[in-house]
DNA sequence: CTACTTTTGACAAAATATGTCAAGATAAAA
DNA sequence: TTTTATCTTGACATATTTTGTCAAAAGTAG
């Protein structure tokens, strides 16, 4: 299963971009982008959207990867992780229903 | 659907405890507990476990409520919330499989 | 070796989370 | 209705986490 960072690195290399070049466009130091690609640091939501744009990746797909990774990271250590996800799903349905 | 705060408040009242009393046992100001019960502030994971203990609630159940609420809060605004949850589930399975 | 890219770690700044306190709102008792 | 106790709210302080910079080390190709 690919990480968000791996997806980004692959696509950056496909485009022939250096860390330095892509980082400049993101307005951050190359060190951070390196860490993001390697999974040492999390990107921000804004950076993910910019990256999708700059690398011609589908925004929604990359965002799903990114969000799911954050969620998994938050609860993977919990024995009850799966149950928490199930309840979260119901909660979200509930919230969306209520908003209409 | 009940919030974690509502569950806590109900149980505190069932036990006949004042905010001040329960807060003291949690080692925080009553103001914070009030906010937690009303959904103004998030509890910490540690506080949730202590609360389950002090209020005779099942640790796992309260923790599931709490975690699911945090997850839902994080992504409820996203159109792709549900898809992110699905992928998160797969990711968690993947992580757990890998660990063994 | 040299020149270039990437990685790493120490540190700084910014943002967020967590808490205290005191004053205001609410409600029940006298 | 005044008094008393509880709860709520908002301003502020502190602590923790996140996000970033920089420079040196490590890796890679000519």
């Amino acid at each position: 299963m690919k990480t968000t960072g791996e997806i980004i690195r692959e696509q950056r290399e496909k485009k022939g971009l250096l860390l330095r070049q892509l980082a400049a466009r993101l307005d951050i130091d190359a060190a951070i982008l390196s860490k993001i690609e390697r999974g040492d640091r999390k990107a921000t939501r804004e950076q993910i959207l910019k990256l999708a744009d700059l690398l011609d990746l589908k925004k929604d797909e990359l965002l799903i990867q990114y969000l799911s990774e954050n969620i998994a990271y938050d609860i993977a250590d919990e024995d009850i992780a799966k149950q928490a996800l199930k309840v979260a799903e119901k909660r979200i349905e509930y919230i969306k229903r209520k908003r209409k």
Side-chain angles (χ1 to χ4, degrees), chain A:
Chain A
M1 189 163 214
K2 267 187 212 166
T3 64
T4 308
E6 284 165 355
I7 293 169
I8 292 167
R9 172 149 296 186
E10 269 182 25
Q11 192 69 3
R12 173 175 65 80
E13 288 175 345
K14 257 190 204 156
K15 296 250 165 190
L17 290 168
L18 298 176
L19 275 177
R20 170 165 51 78
Q21 296 172 317
L22 185 55
R25 299 238 216 166
L26 285 175
D27 211 39
I28 55 174
D29 197 283
I32 292 188
L33 185 54
S34 167
K35 285 170 186 167
I36 289 171
E37 288 184 350
R38 303 173 51 77
D40 252 33
R41 286 261 182 123
K42 278 196 290 191
T44 66
R45 190 178 187 283
E46 297 319 310
Q47 286 164 349
I48 290 295
L49 296 178
K50 257 193 186 173
L51 281 166
D53 205 30
L54 295 169
L55 296 174
D56 295 308
L57 293 166
K58 288 185 186 167
K59 274 192 174 37
D60 277 5
E61 285 179 19
L62 195 61
L63 205 49
I64 289 168
Q65 294 301 314
Y66 169 73
L67 293 173
S68 68
E69 207 169 274
N70 289 350
I71 294 167
Y73 177 82
D74 284 345
I75 65 171
D77 288 341
E78 307 278 356
D79 296 333
I80 55 176
K82 226 172 172 174
Q83 297 161 74
L85 284 181
K86 287 290 170 223
V87 178
E89 201 176 328
K90 284 180 200 154
R91 252 184 224 290
I92 286 171
E93 280 166 15
Y94 178 74
I95 291 170
K96 297 207 163 163
R97 232 180 301 124
K98 214 174 42 179
R99 276 189 189 155
K100 283 176 194 167

